[in-house]
Amino acid sequence: MIDGIKTGYLPLDVERLSVVLGVALNRKTVYAGQNGLIFGFNEEVDKSTGELRYMCGIRGSVHKYANRGTHNADSFRMSDLCRVFTELREVYSINPDITRLYSVEFGVNIKLPYDPRRVLNAIRMYKGKTFTPMDKIGFVYESKLYNLKIYDKGRQCGIPGFDNVLRIEMKTTTSYLKRKSIYVSMLGGLLSTDLWKQFEAVLLEAIGDTMIVEAIQPDALTKKEQALFVLFTGDGWQALNRNVLHKKKRQFAELAARVGASSISEEIKKLITTECKRLRDIEHKSGDKINVFSVPEKLPEVNNADNPPEVRRIKQATKSTFLGEAQKRRFGDKINIKIKADNVATSTQPTVTIVVAYAPPQNIAKISYIAIVEAKERGKPPDNIEFSDSG
């Protein structure tokens, strides 16, 4: 659900953070990439103290960060986001609760039983306005406050196995969300099921405002109806004035619904609803197989005021230090599921030995459990059943 973020300046010791990231602060602006996140250091005057010093903000994909920077084409559940926040806190001393959020990107990757180009070829307009093509893989509508993208995620990521995955996402400023009575001022506020339900509603509204109508055989249509289809399946509607466009668009929408040409739009809405519900569900019958940070690594700790940066081992268990006790009681403490590193995947099928090499990650994603059993997996594209109950 959550992907791209942009924060304000981090309330921490930036000098120590630069040591952890291995960058020298010797220019006015310095950038450090870390598995899909970009740490941007700027030398500015601190308005609170009048001191000239370096300050740092973050932008990039928390979804890609969870996959060690390899891709963001699979599903990203709330428990994934919790683990990312836990690592940001434990490794970089970034407290999401007090880190200001400026913009956020949220969306879903939905598995289709057909080529996503079927949907893309049926997209006509958004709120009576044109989309802009995205390198032949989809479309984007851009405004000052938000962007809406609909595109073929499999072709975009270029990783085998992610066929027929359609990505629907919105990138918005927090000020735009506030206009829609959605309040999330801090990074930690993203860890909320209520907020994710609101994001789902925004996505469904965006699809509702997008005219998605497939071309049909004209034989069953009258000449007037055929002309209406030609008008909107081509570019002719763009020359209409606002009042005529509104009238014609309503007529076309009613005709498309009557002949079944717009049924694909309702299918997409159902898939979004099913996937969003699944992403909010952090309790799994067969245990937590997400396991983003189960491989122990030696990573440096930052911002310890009394001691110099030290190296310590991150726990392989996925226990969260981010959720407060009240939130744990609310969620039933479902994040704190202990996982043995040598037996992560649980299944009712015959036991399969999974070997994990404890080496520094080199383009590794969330641990995958491949081939021999049909267990649901993370880090590989889920099957149709996992994505949706319909379609």
Side-chain angles (χ1 to χ4, degrees):
M1 170 63 80
I2 307 299
D3 192 9
I5 60 167
K6 181 179 180 181
T7 74
Y9 288 133
L10 304 173
L12 50 70
D13 187 334
V14 173
E15 298 290 339
R16 292 182 181 272
L17 178 60
S18 68
V19 173
V20 172
L21 295 171
V23 295
L25 300 182
N26 53 12
R27 299 187 302 276
K28 185 175 180 60
T29 301
V30 179
Y31 295 100
Q34 194 74 8
N35 293 331
L37 291 180
I38 298 175
F39 293 76
F41 296 84
N42 293 311
E43 189 179 29
E44 296 183 12
V45 175
D46 189 336
K47 295 180 180 179
S48 61
T49 63
E51 173 190 8
L52 179 65
R53 68 181 185 88
Y54 282 96
M55 292 180 280
C56 179
I58 302 176
R59 61 181 173 87
S61 170
V62 291
H63 187 168
K64 187 174 290 187
Y65 180 88
N67 279 329
R68 303 301 185 197
T70 56
H71 68 85
N72 57 354
D74 58 353
S75 298
F76 190 69
R77 297 184 174 97
M78 182 165 289
S79 47
D80 293 309
L81 181 62
C82 183
R83 290 182 183 84
V84 170
F85 284 174
T86 298
E87 182 160 306
L88 291 180
R89 180 190 291 271
E90 293 184 343
V91 178
Y92 308 107
S93 293
I94 296 172
N95 186 345
D97 282 337
I98 57 175
T99 299
R100 185 160 295 280
L101 182 69
Y102 286 155
S103 66
V104 60
E105 183 182 272
F106 54 90
V108 289
N109 298 323
I110 54 178
K111 181 77 171 179
L112 300 177
Y114 43 76
D115 194 307
R117 283 178 291 190
R118 177 184 168 188
V119 177
L120 299 175
N121 290 336
I123 292 177
R124 307 303 170 189
M125 66 176 71
Y126 173 72
K127 290 186 175 182
K129 299 177 182 178
T130 59
F131 279 94
T132 301
M134 290 175 51
D135 299 325
K136 299 182 180 180
I137 62 168
F139 298 97
V140 57
Y141 173 80
E142 298 178 301
S143 73
K144 293 181 179 179
L145 295 177
Y146 68 91
N147 295 345
L148 169 64
K149 292 182 181 180
I150 307 175
Y151 61 96
D152 187 331
K153 189 64 179 181
R155 288 185 172 86
Q156 187 262 353
C157 75
I159 299 177
F162 287 95
D163 299 327
N164 298 341
V165 175
L166 182 72
R167 173 73 177 177
I168 301 169
E169 68 182 31
M170 291 194 71
K171 179 180 179 181
T172 72
T173 62
T174 52
S175 59
Y176 171 76
L177 293 175
K178 190 180 295 186
R179 293 185 183 184
K180 302 180 75 65
S181 299
I182 300 175
Y183 302 98
V184 53
S185 59
M186 297 295 171
L187 181 63
L190 295 175
L191 199 65
S192 163
T193 53
D194 290 337
L195 180 68
W196 285 35
K197 289 177 182 178
Q198 291 176 305
F199 285 166
E200 174 190 345
V202 173
L203 291 175
L204 291 173
E205 180 183 26
I207 293 299
D209 290 334
T210 302
M211 181 177 285
I212 305 177
V213 178
E214 296 185 274
I216 62 172
Q217 294 295 329
D219 301 344
L221 303 177
T222 66
K223 290 186 178 181
K224 184 177 180 180
E225 292 171 339
Q226 290 179 20
L228 198 57
F229 254 89
V230 170
L231 179 67
F232 282 96
T233 55
D235 298 329
W237 63 270
Q238 299 179 29
L240 302 177
N241 65 49
R242 183 174 181 179
N243 292 333
V244 175
L245 175 60
H246 178 75
K247 180 181 178 180
K248 293 287 187 181
K249 187 173 71 169
R250 177 172 52 81
Q251 294 174 350
F252 180 63
E254 292 173 353
L255 173 61
R258 179 167 58 82
V259 300
S262 59
S263 61
I264 192 171
S265 179
E266 296 304 314
E267 292 176 9
I268 296 300
K269 289 180 182 179
K270 290 179 181 178
L271 290 169
I272 291 174
T273 298
T274 300
E275 177 67 358
C276 284
K277 183 179 183 300
R278 197 183 308 279
L279 295 177
R280 293 192 299 267
D281 183 7
I282 58 177
E283 182 180 30
H284 306 285
K285 295 180 181 179
S286 56
D288 187 354
K289 296 177 184 176
I290 299 169
N291 197 35
V292 183
F293 303 119
S294 67
V295 179
E297 302 173 45
K298 287 182 177 293
L299 292 171
E301 187 178 53
V302 67
N303 205 31
N304 188 328
D306 300 323
N307 301 301
E310 61 182 18
V311 173
R312 69 183 185 82
R313 183 178 297 273
I314 291 182
K315 294 181 180 179
Q316 65 175 22
T318 59
K319 183 174 181 180
S320 167
T321 58
F322 178 68
L323 289 177
E325 292 302 319
Q327 288 176 290
K328 289 181 180 180
R329 288 193 295 272
R330 177 183 177 189
F331 291 129
D333 199 12
K334 297 171 184 175
I335 301 293
N336 296 344
I337 303 171
K338 292 185 178 179
I339 301 175
K340 294 182 180 180
D342 58 351
N343 189 22
V344 177
T346 59
S347 173
T348 57
Q349 302 184 37
T351 302
V352 177
T353 301
I354 300 166
V355 179
V356 179
Y358 292 111
Q362 298 178 350
N363 291 331
I364 62 171
K366 306 169 194 173
I367 292 180
S368 299
Y369 316 101
I370 303 177
I372 302 179
V373 295
E374 294 292 331
K376 289 184 181 179
E377 308 169 22
R378 302 289 299 141
K380 78 167 190 68
D383 53 24
N384 290 346
I385 295 177
E386 181 175 352
F387 268 105
S388 175
D389 299 326
S390 63

